[in-house]
Amino acid sequence: MKAARLEAIGSLFLRDVTTPDPGPDDLLVRVEACGVCGTDRHLLAGEFPSTPPVTLGHEFAGIVEAVGGAVVHFRPGMRITGDPNIHCGRCAQCRRGRINLCENLRAIGIHRDGGFADYVIVPQRQAYELPLTLPAEHGAFCEPLACCLHGVDLAEIRAGSSVAVLGGGVIGLLTVQLARLAGATTVVLVTRQAVRRTLAGTLGATASVDPAAGDVVDQVAGRNGIVPGGVDVVIECAGVAETVRQAPKLARAGGTVVILGVLPQGETVPIEPFDLLFREIRLLGSFINPSTHARAATLVAEGAIKVEPLISRRIGLAEVPDAIANPPRAGEVKVLVMPGR
Ligand code: NAP
Ligand code: ZN
């Protein structure tokens, strides 16, 4: 079979490899779709630790082709989405129930072979069934959606909440939708590209802000802003210093800030502790998808989250090295790899 292999930092090639055999607890899955994620670019650049040689691709869904002897529930022909993040279940964090903080976390597509291939091995514990009636591509959104769900859960959005989402990439556009589903009646998206602000309006954002049109804090939380005094919840989905700096200033007193975006390790951002204390701002980090993958699969399966408008390009395996080596094209939201093409 074909697989896009990270052979060393900076070296990603399409290779012919042996189709893997499922172990007793494994499913052999024929990949239908696997999303390209910013993390794949970081892995290629060596900005995020991985264990090459390894096949990349951690946002995958596909059809079960064969199952190991100890597999229950899953049968050949079923469609599944895989949660790539495998926790050990034994370490202190796992035993506390904090499985995303597992000391021995291993991820499919980072530490073991992933979904930019014709087939991927998925331990049964990591698989969630999806309906066969769903368009194949939609399953690839479960993984990023599960990460956004964790952030929205931490934010404790309630019916009637006001929310600002910073950054209109796939994470921001999924978060806008989840915020509305969670009951927010005001959802403001801040992002630079006009096409994304327009798209957000069709996905449930009630307002959008262009950072180039003036001070973002004034536009959102100022006296004449969209929510004077600030919003209940700010979710940072851009992963840049500027938006992290803005985030606490956009929240009302007693409000919550959740950081979903990933800044490079070592980068610092000035934060005013007096402001956090005086206004009791809750500042939280949200890391991956602890126990949220099943709900993400349900949301995608039920069509409760619109993913079709987020698909910018569909490519084959041969185009993977180029797509990951180059920055995303202007306006692009999600590129999907469809090995069957
Ligand atoms: P992305 O496509 O890069 O989206 C981020 C978007 O933020 C950019 O496309 C950009 O859109 C916008 N942006 C950049 N600078 C901005 C600014 N100054 N003000 C407002 N918007 C700005 O990435 P993504 O895939 O959506 O992921 C977003 C972040 O989440 C990344 O850092 C990613 O690593 C992280 N992430 C975290 C988790 C987790 O578990 N916490 C999981 C998955 C991803 P415009 O050009 O329109 O401004
Ligand atoms: Zn563990």
Side-chain angles (χ1 to χ4, degrees):
M1 68 168 192
K2 302 273 187 217
R5 306 275 294 164
L6 181 69
E7 296 185 332
I9 303 308
S11 303
L12 179 64
F13 297 103
L14 191 68
R15 297 293 190 212
D16 279 305
V17 298
T18 314
T19 303
D21 281 326
D25 276 307
D26 292 335
L27 319 178
L28 175 69
V29 175
R30 177 169 55 77
V31 179
E32 294 183 297
C34 184
V36 174
C37 162
T39 303
D40 296 314
R41 295 192 175 90
H42 292 307
L43 290 166
L44 178 60
E47 294 160 354
F48 197 95
S50 64
T51 50
V54 68
T55 301
L56 299 186
H58 56 274
E59 301 180 354
F60 55 84
I63 302 292
V64 177
E65 195 84 6
V67 300
V71 169
V72 290
H73 177 70
F74 295 100
R75 294 179 305 278
M78 282 181 170
R79 175 177 281 150
I80 64 108
T81 154
D83 172 359
N85 299 306
I86 306 175
H87 65 280
C88 76
R90 297 180 305 274
C91 74
Q93 291 295 358
C94 281
R95 287 160 64 115
R96 256 178 211 127
R98 305 293 298 271
I99 57 171
N100 57 326
L101 307 181
C102 170
E103 293 160 21
N104 307 303
L105 202 63
R106 313 282 294 161
I108 302 173
I110 295 178
H111 306 103
R112 50 184 279 171
D113 291 340
F116 294 145
D118 291 311
Y119 296 92
V120 61
I121 293 286
V122 184
Q124 60 175 335
R125 197 177 79 171
Q126 304 301 123
Y128 296 84
E129 191 181 353
L130 287 173
L132 288 167
T133 47
L134 199 70
E137 297 96 314
H138 292 196
F141 285 87
C142 295
E143 196 275 343
L145 184 64
C147 294
C148 301
L149 256 180
H150 181 44
V152 167
D153 286 353
L154 286 174
E156 296 180 359
I157 294 169
R158 300 205 164 86
S161 289
S162 54
V163 177
V165 175
L166 313 182
V170 70
I171 296 295
L173 293 168
L174 290 172
T175 298
V176 162
Q177 298 186 59
L178 286 175
R180 286 305 301 267
L181 274 180
T185 40
T186 299
V187 177
V188 182
L189 177 72
V190 182
T191 204
R192 297 167 306 178
Q193 294 181 55
V195 283
R196 288 167 170 197
R197 294 195 298 275
T198 306
L199 180 56
T202 69
L203 299 174
T206 54
S208 61
V209 162
D210 176 2
D215 182 73
V216 169
V217 179
D218 278 349
Q219 291 192 70
V220 176
R223 198 185 297 267
N224 299 311
I226 297 163
V227 184
V231 293
D232 299 318
V233 168
V234 181
I235 307 190
E236 198 287 328
C237 301
V240 297
E242 190 181 12
T243 47
V244 173
R245 193 178 47 72
Q246 289 163 351
K249 299 181 195 301
L250 296 172
R252 65 160 167 84
T256 297
V257 174
V258 174
I259 308 290
L260 260 173
V262 180
L263 269 72
Q265 201 172 12
E267 185 163 349
T268 57
V269 177
I271 297 276
E272 189 185 347
F274 177 83
D275 180 52
L276 296 184
L277 170 131
F278 192 67
R279 299 197 303 122
E280 279 205 351
I281 302 296
R282 229 162 45 106
L283 177 59
L284 307 171
S286 175
F287 181 57
I288 59 172
N289 57 343
S291 308
T292 52
H293 204 94
R295 281 160 62 212
T298 302
L299 288 165
V300 169
E302 298 288 333
I305 295 287
K306 291 184 193 149
V307 297
E308 198 64 43
L310 308 182
I311 304 173
S312 312
R313 253 195 310 156
R314 295 165 171 83
I315 63 175
L317 282 172
E319 296 153 86
V320 171
D322 250 19
I324 294 177
N326 292 300
R329 297 178 185 173
E332 199 160 76
V333 179
K334 179 57 79 184
V335 174
L336 289 183
V337 179
M338 312 212 40
R341 274 166 74 101

